[in-house]
Amino acid sequence: MNKISFIVMFCLTNITFSQIKMQGVVKDSIGTSLELANVIAINQETKTLQSYGITDQSGRYKLSLSKNTSYSIQVSYIGMKTFTEAISTKEDDITKDVVLQPDNALDAVELTYEMPVTVKGDTLIYNADSFKNGTERKLEDILEKLPGVEINDDGQIEVEGNVVSKLMVNGKDFFDGDTKLATKNIPSNAVDKVQVLRNYSEVGQLSSVTNNQDNVAINIKLKEGKENFWFGNVTAGAGASPDSELYLLQPKLFYYSPKFSLNFIGDLNNTGELALTRRDIRGFGGGFRSPSRSSGTSINLGDNGLGFLTTQNNALEIENKLAASNFSYSPNQALDISGFAIYNSSRILSKELSFVQYTDSDLGIPDETTEQDSKERSNQGLVKLSVAYKPNINNQLDYDVLGRFSKDVQNQNFISSVVGNTKQLDEVTPFSINQNVNYYYTLNDTNIFAFEAQHLIKNEDPFYNALLVNDPDNNDELDPNNRDAFDTTAEAMGFITSLNNYDLGQNRRIKSNQLDAKLDYYNILNAKSNINLTLGTILSRQEFNSNIFQSLDDSSEFEPTPTFNDGRATNDTEYNFSDVYLGAHYTLKTGKFTITPGFSLHAYGNKNSQFGETFEDNFFKFLPDFETRIQFKKSESLTLRYQMQNQFTDVTRLAQGLVFNSFSSIQFGEPELQNAISHNVSLFYRSFNLFNYTNVFARLSYNKNIDQIRGLTNFENVIRTSSFFNSNFADESVSASGRIQRTFGKLRASLSSNFNYSKINQFIQGRQSLNERFTQSYTPELRTNFRQAPNVRLRYRYSVSDNNQGTNSTKFVTNAPSIDFDAYIWKSLTFRTDYTYNNQDDGVNPSQSFQTWDASLSYRKNENSKWEYEIKATNLLDIDSRIRNSANNFSVLNSETFIQPRFVTFKIRYEL
């Protein structure tokens, strides 16, 4: 690894020293500096664009050129005649100022080559061809080469530190703006321009009165000839592995016309190449956003889906089926109809070994070694229909409906050094229907009204079953070491202990019904200020039913009566929540400052009924918020935000009856839980300098929770029972993150860092302790973007995690260097490989490491060839497992997750 790094750095150093710098100032005829003028240098011998630049606010530009070479320099600016001049470089740097003359003939502005990057207001436009070198196959391969654009570890697109919220193709939403489906599936050869829309507003009528600084969208402009024709590709493959035959079929078809678009993405494989994971689909919001998201109220409806053992990237076997279709239809300029349907089915086999060390060892909680084998089946579906009606610029009506369903099953064999062998079954078949209605009306130049309403119906029905081995002959042993680990818990639960096993079951059903609506009024006082008044409400109703039973040898069911928790083993709880609020905000622009103070006044109502009792709490709350933005330049700003938030829990923490999260985790709620208050302060800086190609963002945030809901946890060996209460101890967290990125010709360097400190008060075995955690990570990166030569990306991730859990302290250090290499050879072969070495050290035990190495070689006759053939190998080193160290409030975990063996596949891809 060190030798490779040295060779790469040596080559890059030679390239850097073989260049000279050309710089100067661009002005108009009266001497005014021109910002955002385009400057390009075309190599006269190769007739290719070698360097480009964009002037800064002082009109300065800078180009990197080769020595002893002839160039044609072109300088252009809207409304000015294009300046063209031939120059020949020597050994020294060049300084040249340019004066542009007015030009009234707009069609006379003509450039031989397109600028790789141009700026139009808040829109950055990247010419995709300027960043391609021939190895690209999908949109993701282009985006990760664009300055200022990153693909993060979760597959999301980030621009200047903000996650892209929407992705469109030719102005039409692609699967409601989901970025991961787009980056993994849109073919790179169809992409002409990538338009980054900063300060993006989905409602044009509100763009001047709402803060959209953090909203970033991307629009993909297709190449000419892609409209009114099907395009895309179909990939088929087969291969071999030690245990099974491999198969893969992935059709990706797209059709776009001015009025109609249709996309289809299919995926059928057992190679682990997933277009969408279960986690992606569960987080697929369909473009829905809560109307009261910024009101200061946060209510949690809970998530009672399955928490699968492993992610789909860490499994022994994976079989996946995906069918996804998206359409949009515009019969006229006023009406847009769109929608999508997604079905995903997965079958997964996973295995994990873990060593668990519990906090505060003096409390008598034993260390535990576990082995978990899991078979997981998941079927998920989403269907959405959207209608947008815009009869004129003053009216807009939107309606959306999203249906979601799934059927998830997990069979798990769990072996514990403390509890023994346990078989567990989890099943859930939830569904939800979400509807959204928005209406925007502009009365006149100074008065705008906006109504937004969202209604959610959700039904969840998790079922749990656990089968534990029991020795009925040792129930009377006084020494707990001579009894089964679950015996004490079983007696407390009221289970029959004379059987040869404990066959435990639990049914739950959670029904949620929520309405979230608000009416906004905007009054534009003048060009510098406006007032926003909001009247809104959140109405929520949840019903929670559960019962615990023991299956007996004669197949009958026994319902136990616990000896604690007042004998409550069932739940029949109804929880009603209401929030009616009035908000007011004032926005003032003065010089470089935009100041937005505001507040909201809330009337809250809480009521839950269970076991013949009703618990009710009604109160008022004043929640202030504040924002100040300093706009130093068009592409440089600093934003300070403060918000006070009221947080409410879901029905499961209020329900007094017992609930099995698993056989080793039992909880019961507290009906008189109060809301928690949080204070949130953040500072965000961003700068994107196209003069020297430097992109910087930094974010600092502080959070303090008062009356936070905390667990009271008691352990019986490794089996814990928890209840909840409002803690008088404040929990706090501080986080900071940032990235600086700089482009030097064909070399791009970046440094990312993250810091997080948190302190959480926990209560175990009746003892209060402070859990402190400090994590930090640093990721330097170097990557090249040559058109002809091979390209390489060097990355090094260094992270440290310090955990102080009362009397137990741990420190994890991770070192993970990696290298990605791709080469386009003879304009027909594409070779790609990536390698990562991961080492983890806790300072006590011997360090642990694992390596990952994948490679592929593909052939197509030329860039325009319809057919491509590829051989791909994953896990070339055939490693068995990956290592992971982590810590939570209760324990420190060292785990080994087994993964798929070496796969070798052969693929054929046909381009439409």
Side-chain angles (χ1 to χ4, degrees):
M1 183 73 189
N2 291 332
K3 290 181 179 179
I4 296 174
S5 302
F6 175 78
I7 293 172
V8 172
M9 291 305 299
F10 179 77
C11 295
L12 295 176
T13 301
N14 285 341
I15 293 170
T16 302
F17 281 105
S18 67
Q19 293 182 329
I20 66 167
K21 180 170 62 178
M22 179 178 176
Q23 61 184 347
V25 178
V26 178
K27 299 180 179 181
D28 62 14
S29 57
I30 61 174
T32 302
S33 299
L34 298 178
E35 184 180 5
L36 302 180
N38 297 325
V39 185
I40 63 176
I42 301 170
N43 189 304
Q44 292 292 72
E45 181 179 352
T46 63
K47 301 301 180 183
T48 59
L49 188 151
Q50 180 164 326
S51 184
Y52 68 95
I54 296 176
T55 57
D56 65 7
Q57 71 276 9
S58 301
R60 295 180 301 160
Y61 73 91
K62 182 169 58 177
L63 301 176
S64 296
L65 306 177
S66 300
K67 297 178 181 179
N68 304 311
T69 307
S70 296
Y71 293 96
S72 173
I73 303 298
Q74 294 185 7
V75 183
S76 62
Y77 190 82
I78 297 176
M80 299 289 182
K81 290 182 179 179
T82 300
F83 173 89
T84 303
E85 182 175 303
I87 67 165
S88 295
T89 61
K90 304 296 184 183
E91 300 288 328
D92 301 321
D93 293 339
I94 299 173
T95 298
K96 182 172 183 58
D97 296 336
V98 176
V99 177
L100 298 183
Q101 300 298 324
D103 188 358
N104 296 324
L106 297 180
D107 57 351
V109 179
E110 184 177 343
L111 287 178
T112 306
Y113 285 83
E114 287 190 86
M115 282 288 294
V117 185
T118 56
V119 181
K120 293 183 179 179
D122 287 328
T123 302
L124 279 173
I125 305 172
Y126 297 93
N127 181 42
D129 287 342
S130 299
F131 298 91
K132 295 178 182 177
N133 62 9
T135 63
E136 302 82 12
R137 294 297 181 270
K138 51 193 176 184
L139 176 62
E140 180 182 50
D141 300 331
I142 299 174
L143 293 178
E144 61 185 8
K145 296 177 180 179
L146 305 181
V149 180
E150 292 284 334
I151 305 293
N152 64 25
D153 293 338
D154 294 325
Q156 299 170 312
I157 308 172
E158 286 188 7
V159 176
E160 301 170 23
N162 291 316
V163 174
V164 173
S165 58
K166 179 183 286 290
L167 190 142
M168 300 168 284
V169 177
N170 278 9
K172 303 291 186 181
D173 286 358
F174 187 84
F175 285 92
D176 255 17
D178 181 75
T179 59
K180 192 169 183 180
L181 261 179
T183 58
K184 299 290 185 183
N185 294 284
I186 294 178
S188 60
N189 59 9
V191 179
D192 182 30
K193 301 287 191 302
V194 178
Q195 299 176 333
V196 176
L197 313 175
R198 297 180 293 186
N199 301 314
Y200 176 74
S201 175
E202 292 195 51
V203 183
Q205 295 164 263
L206 304 182
S207 60
S208 61
V209 293
T210 55
N211 178 13
N212 304 299
Q213 186 190 20
D214 294 338
N215 294 340
V216 180
I218 284 181
N219 182 45
I220 304 300
K221 294 289 291 182
L222 299 176
K223 287 183 176 292
E224 291 186 12
K226 295 300 182 182
E227 286 198 344
N228 299 313
F229 291 96
W230 284 97
F231 68 93
N233 56 64
V234 178
T235 303
S241 71
D243 301 321
S244 61
E245 299 299 320
L246 303 176
Y247 59 85
L248 179 144
L249 179 63
Q250 295 175 331
K252 302 172 183 179
L253 308 174
F254 310 90
Y255 177 85
Y256 280 86
S257 70
K259 287 190 174 183
F260 179 74
S261 68
L262 180 64
N263 306 305
F264 176 78
I265 297 172
D267 186 6
L268 175 66
N269 75 81
N270 64 348
T271 64
E273 296 185 24
L274 305 177
L276 283 178
T277 65
R278 295 176 309 216
R279 178 183 174 187
D280 293 331
I281 294 179
R282 289 180 66 175
F284 203 101
F288 281 78
R289 295 187 300 170
S290 168
S292 299
R293 58 190 174 276
S294 59
S295 68
T297 296
S298 172
I299 178 170
N300 180 18
L301 296 182
D303 181 4
N304 298 280
L306 293 192
F308 286 108
L309 174 61
T310 57
T311 66
Q312 286 175 269
N313 296 325
N314 296 308
L316 278 170
E317 296 179 11
I318 303 175
E319 294 182 24
N320 199 74
K321 300 175 184 177
L322 172 72
S325 183
N326 166 234
F327 83 96
S328 66
Y329 175 56
S330 302
N332 53 59
Q333 292 184 345
L335 183 62
D336 283 299
I337 304 171
S338 62
F340 65 77
I342 300 174
Y343 175 75
N344 187 75
S345 176
S346 63
R347 303 290 184 269
I348 294 175
L349 177 65
S350 60
K351 180 178 181 179
E352 184 174 277
L353 301 179
S354 299
F355 174 72
V356 186
Q357 183 179 12
Y358 288 90
T359 182
D360 285 345
S361 56
D362 59 333
L363 295 177
I365 307 171
D367 295 339
E368 183 182 22
T369 301
T370 66
E371 178 181 334
Q372 302 176 74
D373 295 278
S374 177
K375 293 182 179 179
E376 304 162 7
R377 304 190 304 276
S378 178
N379 297 285
Q380 299 170 297
L382 296 97
V383 179
K384 184 185 178 185
L385 178 66
S386 299
V387 179
Y389 179 60
K390 302 177 185 178
N392 50 58
I393 60 173
N394 295 325
N395 289 271
Q396 177 176 332
L397 176 64
D398 300 331
Y399 173 75
D400 309 276
V401 58
L402 172 69
R404 183 192 303 268
F405 68 89
S406 69
K407 181 177 181 180
D408 300 329
V409 179
Q410 177 174 259
N411 287 281
Q412 185 181 157
N413 187 43
F414 181 82
I415 302 175
S416 165
S417 60
V418 177
V419 181
N421 189 26
T422 305
K423 293 183 179 180
Q424 299 180 80
L425 169 66
D426 290 275
E427 291 182 329
V428 62
T429 56
F431 71 87
S432 66
I433 299 175
N434 205 341
Q435 298 183 82
N436 189 75
V437 177
N438 299 330
Y439 177 61
Y440 308 97
Y441 173 60
T442 301
L443 179 64
N444 50 44
D445 291 341
T446 58
N447 296 281
I448 303 173
F449 296 87
F451 174 75
E452 299 178 0
Q454 188 177 129
H455 181 240
L456 171 66
I457 295 175
K458 185 165 67 168
N459 190 312
E460 301 165 295
D461 60 345
F463 169 77
Y464 175 73
N465 173 247
L467 184 65
L468 296 87
V469 175
N470 177 46
D471 181 359
D473 297 329
N474 63 14
N475 292 335
D476 297 328
E477 293 284 348
L478 298 179
D479 186 351
N481 294 321
N482 294 327
R483 306 180 68 195
D484 296 323
F486 194 73
D487 281 348
T488 302
T489 302
E491 291 174 354
M493 287 291 302
F495 290 131
I496 297 174
T497 61
S498 59
L499 304 177
N500 290 326
N501 57 60
Y502 296 112
D503 191 349
L504 316 176
Q506 175 183 251
N507 293 298
R508 284 185 288 165
R509 184 174 292 276
I510 305 95
K511 297 181 179 180
S512 302
N513 192 324
Q514 180 175 284
L515 173 67
D516 185 346
K518 70 168 182 173
L519 175 64
D520 277 303
Y521 166 67
Y522 299 93
N523 181 256
I524 302 174
L525 303 175
N526 50 55
K528 299 288 186 180
S529 60
N530 66 74
I531 293 176
N532 168 219
L533 300 177
T534 305
L535 176 64
T537 186
I538 301 176
L539 303 175
S540 176
R541 174 189 176 93
Q542 286 191 292
E543 299 175 7
F544 177 46
N545 294 276
S546 72
N547 71 294
I548 296 173
F549 59 90
Q550 181 180 11
S551 297
L552 305 182
D553 291 342
D554 60 0
S555 299
S556 63
E557 294 182 355
F558 168 71
E559 296 188 357
T561 300
T563 61
F564 66 106
N565 192 37
D566 295 327
R568 299 186 179 109
T570 63
N571 282 291
D572 185 3
T573 305
E574 181 181 303
Y575 172 42
N576 291 278
F577 170 86
S578 66
D579 173 23
V580 179
Y581 64 91
L582 177 66
H585 291 82
Y586 174 69
T587 301
L588 173 65
K589 297 180 180 180
T590 173
K592 297 181 179 180
F593 291 84
T594 301
I595 305 170
T596 307
F599 68 87
S600 55
L601 181 62
H602 297 254
Y604 290 110
N606 273 305
K607 182 172 72 172
N608 71 84
S609 302
Q610 49 187 314
F611 295 103
E613 292 186 87
T614 298
F615 304 87
E616 192 168 0
D617 185 22
N618 302 300
F619 63 98
F620 293 91
K621 197 70 180 180
F622 176 81
L623 301 176
D625 60 89
F626 178 81
E627 178 180 293
T628 295
R629 183 171 73 251
I630 308 174
Q631 197 75 40
F632 300 108
K633 303 172 187 174
K634 290 183 178 180
S635 58
E636 183 182 15
S637 65
L638 179 67
T639 303
L640 172 67
R641 291 193 181 99
Y642 166 77
Q643 184 180 37
M644 185 176 177
Q645 196 169 46
N646 220 5
Q647 299 174 333
F648 296 86
T649 189
D650 69 310
V651 67
T652 61
R653 291 191 173 190
L654 300 172
Q656 292 176 286
L658 295 179
V659 174
F660 272 126
N661 296 315
S662 69
F663 76 90
S664 60
S665 176
I666 305 167
Q667 77 171 49
F668 56 93
E670 169 52 56
E672 296 187 275
L673 286 177
Q674 304 296 310
N675 58 288
I677 296 294
S678 68
H679 298 277
N680 308 281
V681 183
S682 66
L683 191 64
F684 179 61
Y685 172 80
R686 70 175 183 91
S687 173
F688 188 54
N689 191 329
L690 285 171
F691 169 69
N692 56 16
Y693 311 112
T694 301
N695 173 239
V696 180
F697 83 85
R699 180 179 280 108
L700 176 66
S701 61
Y702 169 76
N703 176 269
K704 183 175 183 179
N705 292 319
I706 301 172
D707 291 332
Q708 180 79 0
I709 295 176
R710 280 281 158 239
L712 287 169
T713 304
N714 290 294
F715 278 84
E716 176 63 39
N717 51 70
V718 296
I719 301 170
R720 62 181 182 267
T721 304
S722 302
S723 186
F724 307 97
F725 78 114
N726 289 98
S727 171
N728 293 323
F729 300 92
D731 296 337
E732 297 177 88
S733 66
V734 179
S735 63
S737 62
R739 181 175 66 239
I740 180 170
Q741 183 187 95
R742 180 75 182 270
T743 301
F744 306 88
K746 299 299 182 181
L747 173 66
R748 191 173 81 184
S750 67
L751 173 64
S752 302
S753 61
N754 289 276
F755 304 87
N756 182 270
Y757 169 79
S758 64
K759 65 175 186 178
I760 298 174
N761 292 275
Q762 60 186 12
F763 297 81
I764 301 176
Q765 311 291 70
R767 177 191 296 181
Q768 183 269 338
S769 63
L770 186 65
N771 189 326
E772 293 182 284
R773 184 177 303 168
F774 177 58
T775 60
Q776 52 185 315
S777 66
Y778 309 88
T779 309
E781 179 182 305
L782 286 173
R783 70 179 303 156
T784 63
N785 189 21
F786 298 113
R787 276 186 171 274
Q788 305 296 330
N791 285 290
V792 65
R793 183 180 78 163
L794 296 172
R795 193 180 189 194
Y796 187 90
R797 184 171 65 88
Y798 173 78
S799 65
V800 181
S801 176
D802 289 284
N803 306 278
N804 186 344
Q805 302 169 307
T807 60
N808 187 27
S809 296
T810 58
K811 181 176 182 178
F812 301 127
V813 178
T814 301
N815 292 272
S818 64
I819 181 170
D820 294 0
F821 177 87
D822 65 79
Y824 189 41
I825 308 167
W826 303 318
K827 295 187 178 181
S828 58
L829 289 175
T830 299
F831 175 69
R832 307 182 73 166
T833 185
D834 59 87
Y835 170 84
T836 300
Y837 174 81
N838 192 299
N839 179 271
Q840 300 182 25
D841 189 359
D842 63 6
V844 178
N845 301 300
S847 63
Q848 299 172 297
S849 63
F850 63 88
Q851 305 172 70
T852 59
W853 186 18
D854 302 331
S856 66
L857 179 67
S858 60
Y859 167 79
R860 58 181 177 181
K861 188 175 181 180
N862 53 57
E863 289 185 355
N864 299 318
S865 176
K866 296 287 188 180
W867 294 94
E868 182 175 25
Y869 309 92
E870 179 185 66
I871 184 169
K872 182 176 182 180
T874 58
N875 192 9
L876 272 167
L877 301 177
D878 201 23
I879 65 169
D880 296 325
S881 60
R882 293 175 177 171
I883 305 300
R884 177 172 59 92
N885 293 307
S886 62
N888 57 36
N889 294 348
F890 298 118
S891 60
V892 176
L893 179 73
N894 176 274
S895 63
E896 180 182 10
T897 303
F898 291 84
I899 64 173
Q900 292 175 314
R902 182 192 296 120
F903 282 176
V904 178
T905 56
F906 177 74
K907 303 178 185 178
I908 300 176
R909 182 181 294 111
Y910 177 76
E911 295 286 342
L912 275 68

